[in-house]
Amino acid sequence: MILSIVKYGDPVLQKVCEPVQIFDKELEILAKSMAETMYAAPGVGLAAPQVGVVKRMVVVDVTVGEKAG
């Protein structure tokens, strides 16, 4: 599911994020949605606060720039 990306100035971007304690099904769904959103943007990384979630979580595609081979 594509999530809405918040813009500069949104108060959620100023909040102190909660650490992730347990990686459960809900967090797995969030991670998949964040990855889908990141690729649709397009981008190579996306932090949870950028989609309005106050958690210390990020998705990153470290393969960007690699040649297929």
Side-chain angles (χ1 to χ4, degrees):
M1 167 175 51
I2 303 287
L3 305 169
S4 295
I5 297 176
V6 300
K7 305 294 184 211
Y8 175 78
D10 190 300
V12 74
L13 299 174
Q14 297 294 318
K15 295 186 182 229
V16 175
C17 295
E18 304 168 11
V20 172
Q21 300 292 332
I22 299 172
F23 194 91
D24 57 10
K25 187 67 174 174
E26 183 180 330
L27 216 54
E28 179 183 356
I29 292 167
L30 175 60
K32 288 179 180 178
S33 295
M34 286 174 59
E36 191 175 338
T37 302
M38 174 187 72
Y39 288 123
V44 297
L46 186 70
Q50 291 176 285
V51 292
V53 178
V54 187
K55 290 219 180 266
R56 293 181 193 168
M57 184 169 157
V58 63
V59 293
V60 179
D61 183 347
V62 298
T63 64
V64 172
E66 289 184 5
K67 293 184 179 181

